[in-house]
Amino acid sequence: MSIVQTDIHHVFTNHCKFMVGNDSLTSFWLDNWIGDYPLKTALPRLYLLSLSKSTLVADMGRWSNEIWLWSLQWRGPLFHFEQEQLLLLSSLLESKPMFCHKMDKKIWTPNSDGLFSVKSCSKMMD
């Protein structure tokens, strides 16, 4: 990748978030859909221990009577400090509403309407 491609990729990934709906397009660990960073970056130890590293949000639980139930799987028992990270993850997940009848979509955070524009991307690269 050239330097310009790297800069554009960095700007785009850091300023594009997912609005999660029915979870069918959003990667649980790799996409920026909850908090300020992808969960892989925010909670790297839990990412390493996860049995579902490249899984979509939709595959990390199930709907029951229009209520989302998480089902996270780990390689083994978690140590005390990992349990603390799990509590943080649980708190983040509880704070994020899920919608079973809406599609996921990407939003561009520099624009208040959430739509990408070359002008706003250019400003972010300056």
Side-chain angles (χ1 to χ4, degrees), residues 67-99:
I67 297 173
W68 182 253
L69 304 173
W70 293 102
S71 177
L72 307 176
Q73 297 179 339
W74 312 106
R75 288 191 318 200
L78 301 180
F79 291 112
H80 180 70
F81 70 94
E82 295 162 343
Q83 290 284 346
E84 291 174 5
Q85 283 196 358
L86 183 57
L87 287 174
L88 175 58
L89 175 59
S90 295
S91 175
L92 286 170
L93 296 175
E94 286 176 16
S95 72
K96 186 71 172 183
M98 309 285 266
F99 305 98

